[in-house]
Amino acid sequence: MKNKQIATLLAFTLGMFGVHRFYLQQKKLGWWYLAFFWTLIPLIIGWIDGIVFLFMSYAVFNRKYSLRHVFKKKYLDDEDIIDFNTDEKLEKELLNKLLELNDKDKVESFLKNSKEKGEYLPRKVYSKALMIISGKSNIYGERLDIQ
């Protein structure tokens, strides 16, 4: 698994030599940076890469560089849904809100309101809501890794 902070730091410090591209397993690009480092153009491109990595979400970074998955949109909001489902801060906020409700009817109402507004719920939040509604401790049967 590639680390976003390491890639960003390498791009800003050693980007001129393409070290960040070698780290991300993009050897061809790394060799191009190394071949032309004397022109200082790779230095500028390395800084641009660093800025791009800095503002890239973890979900997009991991999908592109760790999983090597190029996302092809089928629907207009596909990428938004994936990014939303990997936002840990929002997920924690919504889980805390569910725990505050902790009543079957209130949780059902919360799900209906979210659906009517067109809001997406992260998978973990939706699963927790279904657990509260169904009254089961685990909606996945034999799986023990779900909290």
Side-chain angles (χ1 to χ4, degrees), residues 130-141:
L130 291 179
M131 287 170 52
I132 293 170
I133 291 170
S134 68
K136 296 179 182 177
S137 62
N138 190 346
I139 62 171
Y140 293 105

Side-chain angles (χ1 to χ4, degrees), residues 84-87 90-91 94 120-127:
F84 184 83
N85 275 302
T86 55
D87 186 356
L90 181 64
E91 186 177 86
L94 289 171
Y120 301 113
L121 292 177
R123 289 180 185 100
K124 196 171 186 180
V125 174
Y126 189 72
S127 298

Side-chain angles (χ1 to χ4, degrees), residues 52-79:
V52 169
F53 295 154
L54 190 64
F55 291 104
M56 186 182 287
S57 74
Y58 284 100
V60 173
F61 182 86
N62 285 330
R63 188 170 55 241
K64 189 171 184 180
Y65 298 109
S66 294
L67 302 174
R68 300 206 181 284
H69 180 261
V70 178
F71 187 74
K72 294 179 182 171
K73 290 184 178 184
K74 185 172 182 182
Y75 301 103
L76 291 176
D77 59 351
D78 281 351
E79 196 164 355

Side-chain angles (χ1 to χ4, degrees), residues 16 31-42:
M16 167 178 202
W31 287 112
W32 280 107
Y33 279 70
L34 198 55
F36 292 101
F37 80 93
W38 56 273
T39 65
L40 296 181
I41 292 171

Side-chain angles (χ1 to χ4, degrees), residues 13-49:
T13 57
L14 299 170
M16 167 178 202
F17 303 108
V19 174
H20 63 295
R21 293 298 175 180
F22 286 111
Y23 172 73
L24 295 172
Q25 302 296 315
Q26 297 177 329
K27 291 183 171 116
K28 279 186 185 177
L29 274 175
W31 287 112
W32 280 107
Y33 279 70
L34 198 55
F36 292 101
F37 80 93
W38 56 273
T39 65
L40 296 181
I41 292 171
L43 176 68
I44 296 166
I45 296 172
W47 286 344
I48 292 170
D49 288 341

